Amino acid sequence: FLPPGARREQEDGTAFEAFTLIAVAAGITQRLKLGHLVLGNTYRNPALVVKMAATLDQASKGRFTLGIGAAWFKREHEAYGWDFPSMRERQDRLQKACELIRKLFTADGPVDYNGRYYRLDQAPLSPGCYQEPHIPIMVGGTGEQRTLRTLAMHGDIMNVDGWAGRGMSFELYQHKVGVLERHCEKIGRDPAEIKHTLLMPLKVTDDKAEAERFIVGLGRRTMDRWGNYGGPLMEPRLSGSMAGPLNHVIDRIGQFVDAGVDEIMFGAIPAGNVEALQRVDEEIVAAFD
């Protein structure tokens, strides 16, 4: 609803409503898979989200993934008059919302739900999901105590976000997967049922200074000595984003692919830059065909 991270004087910048925009995209494409990274749970009643998601899934013939998170943008809530609960309550709400969403997606008939935050009274979902067994649920975020537990309980897709925290280091990815697997073990779920995805900021350049500026711009720490791309001197936070020569980027992506990552979303590609998207397709994606 507002440009993320915008200062007050920049808040009138372009920001389209997510569901309306993706419906337009669904209508003008035939093969493109569609989803949000991710919807804020506090913006819409989760039962309404289910109805909107199922409608999109039917209209796109099964190309929609529902991505949802606890929400984080306090100023956005203030601007539009929505309550911004504590982190604990937002996590509680996300867990219950995901439970309700999955229940509606998978039910054979109308659903009752009586919880602290959400209630349903014989609510039907008709038409239901186009996809079988249902629309995939991506739980956004990698908080170890709550978010990954909610994912283990009610989600289908994990997404490690290269914009947040310590970035996209391989060690961090492995650690988060380990936490998720332990949550799955505790609740008796097979972790293989959950798909692993990454959101990866991407910059292909042979200029070390340009790559470093890109990483610093993403909020990563710099170091006194650059070291070799992918070599032993590479500081973990610097290696947390895909920035550097083409071969380095492909090797780093391959490391994640070999570790079982199912899907990668590339970010930081300038909007409307068809040439940059073409290069990603022809030089990076093609390397893994």
Side-chain angles (χ1 to χ4, degrees):
F1 298 93
L2 296 177
R7 296 189 297 272
R8 285 294 183 102
E9 62 270 20
Q10 300 171 318
E11 288 185 351
D12 60 351
T14 301
F16 292 107
E17 194 282 321
F19 262 108
T20 311
L21 185 63
I22 210 168
V24 174
I28 62 175
T29 60
Q30 294 183 340
R31 295 184 299 156
L32 192 68
K33 292 187 177 180
L34 307 161
H36 304 97
L37 287 174
V38 289
L39 299 167
N41 176 55
T42 51
Y43 298 146
R44 304 167 186 87
N45 178 284
L48 173 63
V49 169
V50 167
K51 187 64 178 179
M52 296 167 77
T55 301
L56 263 176
D57 200 45
Q58 290 287 340
S60 66
K61 292 182 168 55
R63 293 185 284 132
F64 182 65
T65 293
L66 176 61
I68 191 163
W72 61 273
F73 200 174
K74 181 179 180 181
R75 170 60 193 145
E76 201 165 53
H77 290 71
E78 293 172 346
Y80 290 93
W82 295 311
D83 291 337
F84 187 70
S86 67
M87 173 61 79
R88 179 174 181 175
E89 181 174 330
R90 278 179 282 135
Q91 289 290 349
D92 289 343
R93 285 177 175 271
L94 176 63
Q95 180 179 323
K96 297 305 180 183
C98 288
E99 180 183 23
L100 182 154
I101 289 167
R102 195 174 190 91
K103 190 180 289 287
L104 277 167
F105 277 171
T106 58
D108 294 329
V111 172
D112 288 314
Y113 188 90
N114 188 17
R116 180 177 180 182
Y117 303 111
Y118 312 114
R119 292 177 178 83
L120 300 177
D121 180 6
Q122 286 291 286
L125 181 62
S126 181
C129 303
Y130 184 94
Q131 296 176 72
E132 296 290 345
H134 59 81
I135 297 168
I137 302 168
M138 174 188 286
V139 179
T142 54
E144 297 182 8
Q145 294 185 15
R146 297 297 308 275
T147 308
L148 290 179
R149 181 159 63 93
T150 295
L151 170 60
M153 295 168 66
H154 306 298
D156 305 293
I157 304 175
M158 174 189 192
N159 184 257
V160 182
D161 184 356
W163 295 102
R166 289 181 289 156
M168 192 56 61
S169 73
F170 184 67
E171 294 75 18
L172 178 62
Y173 166 74
Q174 288 182 309
H175 171 72
K176 296 296 184 181
V177 169
V179 173
L180 176 61
E181 289 176 345
R182 289 193 290 275
H183 282 305
C184 287
E185 182 179 1
K186 289 178 182 178
I187 66 171
R189 185 175 184 187
D190 182 357
E193 295 176 359
I194 298 175
K195 183 177 179 179
H196 296 176
T197 69
L198 307 177
L199 173 57
M200 187 175 288
L202 179 69
K203 180 72 173 181
V204 179
T205 177
D206 293 324
D207 186 331
K208 292 182 179 180
E210 184 180 13
E212 182 172 357
R213 286 194 298 271
F214 174 80
I215 293 167
V216 171
L218 295 173
R220 311 293 181 254
R221 287 193 302 118
T222 57
M223 63 175 184
D224 294 331
R225 180 172 56 176
W226 180 272
N228 297 316
Y229 285 106
L233 298 180
M234 180 63 78
E235 199 268 354
R237 288 180 184 256
L238 268 181
S239 64
S241 297
M242 296 296 155
L246 179 63
N247 288 340
H248 164 71
V249 169
I250 290 173
D251 288 345
R252 292 264 296 131
I253 293 171
Q255 186 180 29
F256 288 104
V257 171
D258 291 342
V261 170
D262 299 286
E263 183 177 347
I264 298 174
M265 301 82 164
F266 295 113
I269 300 172
N273 191 331
V274 176
E275 183 178 338
L277 291 169
Q278 191 84 9
R279 187 179 185 190
V280 170
D281 184 39
E282 294 177 354
E283 298 183 1
I284 297 176
V285 176
F288 298 93
D289 287 345

